[in-house]
Amino acid sequence: MAHNFRDNLSINPVFARPGEAGAVHKYTLPKGSMLPETAYQIVHDESMLDGNARLNLATFVSTWMDERADKLYTEAFDKNAIDKDEYPQTAAMETYCWRILADLWRAPDPAGAIGCSTTGSSEACMLGGLALKRRWQEKRRAAGLPADKPNLVMSSAVQVCWEKFCNYFDVEARFVPISMEHKVLDGHNLADYVDENTIGVVAIFGVTYTGMYEPVVAISKALDEIQKKTGYDVMIHVDGASGAMIAPFVQPDLVWDFRLPRVASINTSGHKYGLVYPGLGWVVWRKADLLPESLVFQVSYLGGKMPTFALNFSRPGAQILLQYWAFLRYGHEGYRAVQEETMRVAWYLAEEIAGMGPFELWNHASDIPVFAWMLKPSRGRNWTLYDLSDRLRMQGWQIPAYPMPVDLTDLTVQRIVVRNGLSMDLAGRLIDDIRAQVAYLDADNEAKNADRKAVFHH
Ligand SMILES: *Cc1c(COP(=O)(O)O)cnc(C)c1O
């Protein structure tokens, strides 16, 4: 009874099965099917070549949640957030969450605020920007003034989502360049950029490049001055993708939020320091009338009548449950404990890196647990932060080096984003690895210099 070993799938070793052993189609749909286990193994194995998410110190996005959250996630991954009539409790939990945020961000009347979830801060920023634009247009048209040349004022170090917003929605982007004297948008020279066509000013609360806060109070005061002189009443959108979930816990006395009457709207990424897996964002307006009704659609084909303001229609609902879980699980004290520990790890790393010799910090991790550093100028050194980044990558750490934005593009920095899950223990290992790689690069450097001298003397 000769039995074809290959055809008997229950005894056939996984990597010797048809499909698994043969060539895999990458760019065309395979003609036939394969076993689910085989397909799983192929996809699983290919993804092993991705970096380790926990060692990815380039991203702001959560890479660790508690097992209970994982359980909740698997229970809810089939829920579509848009089906608010079918999943009324997911919709209710979405409302709990943005109301919690409105309160956390000191909306004068959280019940009179309005907000929603999004796929991330990018979408949240688009919605914030669209509300600014539409309000400006409606005001201009009501006054019989042209409304065809809107502009938005922001730092040159904004996250790319603001350049996208301006590009996609036909708004002129007015960038205030950062410099060594003005490392962030701080209200300096703002009057040179604001005019009657300015729909708003973006304050980045946690600059992506460096982790620094833009001083929203100073920006607000500069706009007060501008209003006194010109009458332009320009409001602020705070891009708190990262900082809006740090400051309320770590710097509770810092004023940056709805306590400032000029702050019309604030966004954050639930999946950054909101401590939820990707992708989830939030945007909140201080008062419902700051979100023009003409932007809100009433959708009836899901049953009921649901107001929606979003770029996408379908979107996973599970992250909303995870955010509500995190709010309940951590509470104010828990968020503070987590964020303070994350800050402590960032301070430790910044201090150690500053003390190594070749580096100079661009900023201490004093705002959000993010900091960047530069290489001190040194004659004869022939390695760069890009080389260091490569060497660290070999150890599994992903720590990017990149040029600063316009006017400072000659300057290369390297940045670490510390997140919940990068423990003090791991941080110590990272410092050991950075020291070892600097020593390697220096030794390599000396060897090359010695070679060069030898060639020269020859
Ligand atoms: C991360 C980030 C964004 C984009 O957020 P996503 O949630 O990744 O879409 C926008 N602005 C700032 C300041 C950010 O740090």
Side-chain angles (χ1 to χ4, degrees), residues 120-122 159 161 204 206 208 239 241 269 271-272:
S121 276
S122 300
Q159 212 266 355
C161 72
I204 322 170
T208 315
D239 178 356
S269 293
H271 56 219
K272 291 185 178 175

Side-chain angles (χ1 to χ4, degrees), residues 260-338:
L260 293 170
R262 269 194 202 280
V263 173
S265 42
I266 300 173
N267 69 276
T268 199
S269 293
H271 56 219
K272 291 185 178 175
Y273 293 106
L275 307 179
V276 172
Y277 288 134
L280 180 70
W282 299 97
V283 56
V284 176
W285 289 265
R286 74 159 45 239
K287 278 194 311 201
D289 62 7
L290 289 171
L291 172 59
E293 262 178 47
S294 61
L295 288 173
V296 178
F297 286 80
Q298 302 290 337
V299 176
S300 57
Y301 33 77
L302 295 170
K305 217 168 166 37
M306 282 294 158
T308 83
F309 182 34
L311 297 184
N312 230 61
F313 189 68
S314 299
R315 177 161 69 75
Q319 282 83 355
I320 293 167
L321 306 195
L322 292 185
Q323 183 73 79
Y324 188 51
W325 174 87
F327 285 160
L328 292 177
R329 189 261 179 272
Y330 294 116
H332 204 284
E333 282 173 15
Y335 266 97
R336 197 183 67 217
V338 168

Side-chain angles (χ1 to χ4, degrees), residues 380-393:
R381 184 198 293 125
N382 60 13
W383 58 270
T384 65
L385 292 176
Y386 295 103
D387 297 318
L388 179 59
S389 182
D390 281 349
R391 295 293 313 174
L392 290 168
R393 180 96 194 210

Side-chain angles (χ1 to χ4, degrees), residues 13 38 45 72 135 156 162 247 273 283 296 301 323 374 395 423:
T38 309
D45 288 4
L72 206 51
R135 267 205 329 277
S156 60
W162 290 105
Y273 293 106
V283 56
V296 178
Y301 33 77
Q323 183 73 79
M374 315 165 261
Q395 318 296 309
S423 62

Side-chain angles (χ1 to χ4, degrees), residues 138-445:
E138 289 179 350
K139 228 161 110 185
R140 296 278 295 176
R141 288 188 187 124
L145 294 165
D148 57 341
K149 289 201 165 57
N151 69 66
L152 182 67
V153 175
M154 61 197 123
S155 147
S156 60
V158 283
Q159 212 266 355
V160 65
C161 72
W162 290 105
E163 296 169 60
K164 285 189 192 171
F165 166 76
C166 290
N167 180 326
Y168 297 170
F169 296 106
D170 284 319
V171 172
E172 180 201 341
R174 291 205 175 155
F175 297 114
V176 181
I178 58 164
S179 62
M180 291 310 273
E181 296 77 50
H182 301 278
K183 286 181 163 177
V184 292
L185 183 78
D186 57 8
H188 165 79
N189 276 354
L190 200 56
D192 295 348
Y193 297 85
V194 169
D195 61 22
E196 60 178 342
N197 292 321
T198 301
I199 63 171
V201 172
V202 176
I204 322 170
F205 203 61
V207 174
T208 315
Y209 287 83
T210 59
M212 292 170 76
Y213 287 152
E214 293 189 331
V216 190
V217 170
I219 295 169
S220 178
K221 281 193 180 137
L223 288 171
D224 291 346
E225 283 305 308
I226 290 169
Q227 186 170 10
K228 256 188 235 151
K229 286 196 187 118
T230 64
Y232 309 145
D233 183 7
V234 177
M235 293 199 89
I236 297 172
H237 175 93
V238 178
D239 178 356
S242 51
M245 287 307 285
I246 294 289
F249 307 107
V250 179
Q251 302 101 353
D253 299 327
L254 183 67
V255 175
W256 61 275
D257 47 17
F258 291 126
R259 280 171 283 183
L260 293 170
R262 269 194 202 280
V263 173
S265 42
I266 300 173
N267 69 276
T268 199
S269 293
H271 56 219
K272 291 185 178 175
Y273 293 106
L275 307 179
V276 172
Y277 288 134
L280 180 70
W282 299 97
V283 56
V284 176
W285 289 265
R286 74 159 45 239
K287 278 194 311 201
D289 62 7
L290 289 171
L291 172 59
E293 262 178 47
S294 61
L295 288 173
V296 178
F297 286 80
Q298 302 290 337
V299 176
S300 57
Y301 33 77
L302 295 170
K305 217 168 166 37
M306 282 294 158
T308 83
F309 182 34
L311 297 184
N312 230 61
F313 189 68
S314 299
R315 177 161 69 75
Q319 282 83 355
I320 293 167
L321 306 195
L322 292 185
Q323 183 73 79
Y324 188 51
W325 174 87
F327 285 160
L328 292 177
R329 189 261 179 272
Y330 294 116
H332 204 284
E333 282 173 15
Y335 266 97
R336 197 183 67 217
V338 168
Q339 316 299 42
E340 280 183 351
E341 181 56 22
T342 308
M343 292 294 282
R344 224 164 61 82
V345 172
W347 293 335
Y348 162 76
L349 287 172
E351 211 164 282
E352 291 291 321
I353 287 170
M356 276 180 202
F359 309 120
E360 186 183 339
L361 296 183
W362 167 274
N363 63 310
H364 296 261
S366 47
D367 295 346
I368 61 172
V370 173
F371 65 99
W373 66 90
M374 315 165 261
L375 210 42
K376 282 184 198 157
S378 156
R379 274 159 56 89
R381 184 198 293 125
N382 60 13
W383 58 270
T384 65
L385 292 176
Y386 295 103
D387 297 318
L388 179 59
S389 182
D390 281 349
R391 295 293 313 174
L392 290 168
R393 180 96 194 210
M394 290 180 206
Q395 318 296 309
W397 302 105
Q398 296 161 68
I399 306 179
Y402 50 87
M404 292 293 268
V406 280
D407 284 14
L408 282 178
T409 45
D410 287 347
L411 183 65
T412 300
V413 297
Q414 192 162 14
R415 183 193 70 183
I416 286 180
V417 178
V418 182
R419 301 184 307 275
N420 186 31
L422 183 72
S423 62
M424 206 49 122
D425 182 57
L426 270 179
R429 297 286 309 121
L430 170 59
I431 289 299
D432 292 346
D433 280 340
I434 295 178
R435 273 218 181 86
Q437 296 314 318
V438 166
Y440 172 90
L441 289 165
D442 277 344
D444 191 48
N445 198 70

